[in-house]
Amino acid sequence: MDIQALQQKAIELRKATWKMIYAAKTGHTGSDLSCTDILVALYYRVMNQTAATFTDPNRDRYIQSKGHAVEILWNVLADRGYFPKSDLKTYSQFKSPYMGHPNNHVKGVEMNTGSLGHGLALSVGIAKAAKMNGQSYHTYTLMGDGEQAEGSVWEAAMAASNFKLDNLTAIIDHNGLQITGKTVDVMNSEPLKAKYEAFGWHVLEVPGNDMQALVDALEAEPQMGKPTLVLADTTKGSGVKFAENKAEWHHKVPTAEQYQEALDDFDRQLKEVAK
């Protein structure tokens, strides 16, 4: 997809996710909206993986360490044909596999995630296995910035550099907020760019809701012998003006009035992109 098509797809998927959360009356709304552009760039442009190749040993791998933002992942996978879109009508219902965190009973999910701090370590193991087995696939993982308070993240970061995993790209959804407030107030892990560089990573800091910037960073040639970190400076609740940069929207369901207001604005955004 070209950049305009990716931008349009991101709006469409924000709208679909917004509708699913409203119908289910549950969801990590602000978190979904902040990382939508990242998932769209990966699944529609960057990654060598499709529904048809999901069992191919040489497919690229994706681990969503930030597992609570699962609603957007479910919508991306459904839109890409991993399972029927109609399945999502069961989201968060009893016995539905489409629960509030990724689980590998669903096609398209490599690993169960959601316990924060585990995704990078899992990805280090997957990337190291590729090196050991002489395979060419690339591993991607998405973390939150609040997640950087977990010590296991830094153990994994150190290991990735030690093993020279230039086939690993980690992305941080750097929106500055978590469920209890600003990340710098809850547990300040800044400066993330300098810290990852000190751990031996190649770091690219980009505006994380800018599709062109994301694609350029994710498609850049890796530095030999170094894992890559894309530090994506995003907006919590991106695309819904009244939810942007508000910690209360980390996990919140819109009212009927808010629901319709956002739907109308998504339609306006789609018209703008189409010009």
Side-chain angles (χ1 to χ4, degrees):
M1 279 189 175
D2 63 22
I3 298 302
Q4 184 181 27
L6 291 169
Q7 291 169 335
Q8 180 176 339
K9 181 59 69 177
I11 298 167
E12 291 171 352
L13 286 165
R14 279 189 172 94
K15 182 177 178 180
T17 300
W18 184 257
K19 293 171 76 171
M20 188 176 82
I21 288 171
Y22 181 74
K25 304 304 180 190
T26 186
H28 285 83
T29 312
S31 302
D32 292 313
L33 296 171
S34 69
C35 67
T36 297
D37 301 290
I38 297 167
L39 267 69
V40 168
L42 286 171
Y43 275 94
Y44 295 83
R45 171 82 176 237
V46 176
M47 281 202 303
N48 178 28
Q49 185 198 116
T50 65
T53 64
F54 186 64
T55 57
D56 186 333
N58 288 311
R59 72 190 180 282
D60 286 347
R61 269 64 162 181
Y62 172 71
I63 303 294
Q64 185 153 313
S65 188
K66 182 187 169 175
H68 53 279
V70 73
E71 294 85 13
I72 182 58
L73 178 62
W74 291 148
N75 276 280
V76 166
L77 292 175
D79 191 65
R80 291 290 285 152
Y82 287 78
F83 50 81
K85 290 183 181 180
S86 58
D87 284 5
L88 293 182
K89 293 178 182 178
T90 70
Y91 166 66
S92 204
Q93 294 179 14
F94 183 56
K95 292 189 176 181
S96 172
Y98 308 102
M99 55 184 70
H101 288 87
N103 77 93
N104 60 7
H105 290 287
V106 176
K107 184 178 179 180
V109 177
E110 300 280 357
M111 294 274 192
N112 297 354
T113 58
S115 183
L116 295 177
H118 293 178
L120 185 58
L122 289 168
S123 300
V124 167
I126 294 169
K128 191 171 190 298
K131 292 280 189 181
M132 294 173 67
N133 295 332
Q135 292 173 281
S136 60
Y137 67 79
H138 200 92
T139 300
Y140 299 87
T141 188
L142 174 65
M143 299 181 285
D145 49 1
E147 184 176 358
Q148 304 308 299
E150 299 282 355
S152 53
V153 169
W154 298 100
E155 293 180 66
M158 182 166 54
S161 174
N162 180 69
F163 296 127
K164 303 184 186 307
L165 299 180
D166 48 17
N167 60 342
L168 171 64
T169 297
I171 307 147
I172 296 178
D173 183 6
H174 191 224
N175 60 42
L177 294 169
Q178 56 193 96
I179 194 167
T180 50
K182 295 181 179 179
T183 55
V184 294
D185 295 333
V186 178
M187 180 61 72
N188 188 6
S189 56
E190 301 293 342
L192 287 172
K193 184 176 188 293
K195 286 181 178 179
Y196 272 88
E197 287 175 338
F199 272 68
W201 287 60
H202 173 51
V203 181
L204 300 169
E205 186 167 11
V206 300
N209 298 122
D210 181 322
M211 190 62 72
Q212 183 69 67
L214 277 173
V215 168
D216 289 346
L218 291 167
E219 290 186 337
E221 284 294 318
Q223 284 196 4
M224 187 173 294
K226 283 191 171 187
T228 295
L229 174 74
V230 176
L231 187 58
D233 296 324
T234 60
T235 299
K236 191 92 166 183
S238 177
V240 177
K241 287 185 172 57
F242 57 78
E244 290 184 344
N245 289 314
K246 293 183 179 177
E248 66 192 76
W249 277 94
H250 179 88
H251 186 288
K252 187 173 180 177
V253 177
T255 64
E257 293 76 15
Q258 290 170 330
Y259 173 71
Q260 191 57 52
E261 181 181 343
L263 289 185
D264 292 342
D265 198 40
F266 287 135
D267 290 339
R268 181 196 59 78
Q269 293 171 37
L270 286 168
K271 290 177 182 177
E272 286 294 315
V273 170
K275 287 182 179 178

